[in-house]
Amino acid sequence: MRVDIFLLIILMAAAIWTVMTRSLLRSAIGLALSSVILAMLMYRLGAKLAAVVELSVCAGLIPVIFVSTISLTEPLTHKEVLQQMKQRLRRFYALPIMVIALGIILSLLRFPPPVTGISAEGIKDAPSVLWNLRQIDLLGQVVIILCGVFGVVILLKEEFKQ
Amino acid sequence: MNLFWLYCLFIILLFFSGLYCIFFTYNLIRALIGFELLIKAVTLLLVLAGNTNHQLALAQGYVLTLIVIEVAIIAVAVGIVIGLHQHHQSLDTRQLRQLKG
């Protein structure tokens, strides 16, 4: 339990750092760090297959996409960054205070015990769910990936023509 | 407070951080990063629900679907952001007031 609490606190700290940091690049790195910690939590909860996919896709692929985007778009000059820094701090300084206050308020509330023991037959492991129960979903996922790929190709087509 | 509600508490806080980021930023890339934080909170909630109900296999199936959809959405959104930057030379949402492509 202590490890879970420690990981949850680090996850929250990484999320706040991701939101509050000035540099977009650091923000993308913070997001990757959040994904790594989330994968560790998922592994501790027993979702090993999902943890591996989270680690490889969300901590590996998505930060690369973000870093590529940041490098393709013009970063701000040092002067502009300094000008915007005060404004940014003014907008985001409330986040840690609000998170701590919300955490304290929610932890004071008394919740009922969670509902457990809903039975489902024929479900043994994740691959059997995916290949036996959710074949149509898999087809849908393939279509979604293709839509994503073609969407990016169409959006960037104009640049290739130029 | 047991571990289930502790996880729920941190999931709510994570969701709140992502929502705050989306509401208070003017940068499109940072808004996408906030959206990612929202999805991470939902992912953790799905796994926690599966763990609590002893249906981790089903929860993992949902999480895999969620990750696939997340990657596709981010890829398309990033393409839109790059396209907008090419047209307007800016990622500030205050300067993007025209809906022409």
Side-chain angles (χ1 to χ4, degrees), chain B residues 14 68 74:
Chain B
L14 192 61
V68 168
I74 290 297

Side-chain angles (χ1 to χ4, degrees), chain A residues 4-5 12 21-22 35 41 45 49-50 57 69 74 91 106-107 111-112 115-116 118 130 134 141 152 159, chain B residues 1 5-7 9 17 20 24 30 40 51-53 55-56 60-62 64-65 68 71 75 78 85:
Chain A
D4 287 289
I5 295 169
M12 204 57 236
T21 187
R22 182 170 50 86
S35 289
L41 282 168
L45 286 171
L49 183 69
V57 176
T69 313
E74 282 177 19
R91 271 186 280 135
L106 288 174
S107 63
F111 298 104
V115 179
T116 56
I118 299 170
L130 284 172
R134 308 189 64 212
Q141 290 183 39
V152 173
E159 188 193 10
Chain B
M1 184 183 278
W5 288 115
L6 196 70
Y7 266 99
L9 172 70
S17 302
Y20 192 95
F24 286 91
R30 204 177 287 276
K40 286 195 195 317
N51 179 274
T52 310
N53 290 321
Q55 290 189 14
L56 264 174
Q60 286 188 82
Y62 282 124
L64 293 181
T65 311
V68 168
V71 172
V78 157
H85 183 263

Side-chain angles (χ1 to χ4, degrees), chain A residues 1 4-5 8-9 11-12 15 18-19 21-24 27-28 31 34-35 38 41-42 45-50 53-54 57-58 61-62 65-66 69-70 72-74 87-88 91-92 94-95 98-99 102-103 106-107 111-112 114-116 118-120 123-126 129-130 134 141 144-145 148 152 155-156 158-159, chain B residues 1-7 9-14 16-18 20-21 24-27 29-30 32-34 36-37 39-41 43-44 47-48 51-83 85-87 89 91-92 94 101:
Chain A
M1 186 170 172
D4 287 289
I5 295 169
L8 283 169
I9 290 169
L11 175 66
M12 204 57 236
T18 304
V19 175
T21 187
R22 182 170 50 86
S23 159
L24 279 174
S27 204
L31 190 68
S34 311
S35 289
L38 181 64
L41 282 168
M42 285 159 80
L45 286 171
K48 294 175 184 173
L49 183 69
V53 175
E54 170 79 22
V57 176
C58 294
L61 178 64
I62 290 179
I65 294 175
F66 276 121
T69 313
I70 293 162
L72 280 172
T73 52
E74 282 177 19
Q87 209 181 354
R88 267 188 54 73
R91 271 186 280 135
F92 284 103
L95 177 63
M98 287 170 82
V99 163
L102 190 65
L106 288 174
S107 63
F111 298 104
V115 179
T116 56
I118 299 170
S119 63
I123 299 171
K124 289 173 183 171
D125 54 350
V129 169
L130 284 172
R134 308 189 64 212
Q141 290 183 39
I144 286 169
I145 292 173
V152 173
L155 284 167
L156 296 177
E158 196 179 343
E159 188 193 10
Chain B
M1 184 183 278
N2 59 16
L3 196 60
F4 176 81
W5 288 115
L6 196 70
Y7 266 99
L9 172 70
F10 276 92
I11 286 166
I12 292 169
L13 296 181
L14 192 61
F16 178 76
S17 302
Y20 192 95
C21 181
F24 286 91
T25 189
Y26 295 118
N27 190 300
I29 296 176
R30 204 177 287 276
L32 283 180
I33 289 173
E36 274 285 311
L37 287 178
I39 293 182
K40 286 195 195 317
T43 308
L44 190 55
V47 174
L48 182 67
N51 179 274
T52 310
N53 290 321
H54 307 292
Q55 290 189 14
L56 264 174
L58 195 61
Q60 286 188 82
Y62 282 124
V63 168
L64 293 181
T65 311
L66 181 67
I67 288 172
V68 168
I69 294 171
E70 173 189 351
V71 172
I73 287 174
I74 290 297
V76 174
V78 157
I80 292 171
V81 167
I82 293 171
H85 183 263
Q86 284 170 359
H87 278 286
Q89 303 301 318
L91 291 179
D92 196 327
R94 288 167 292 190

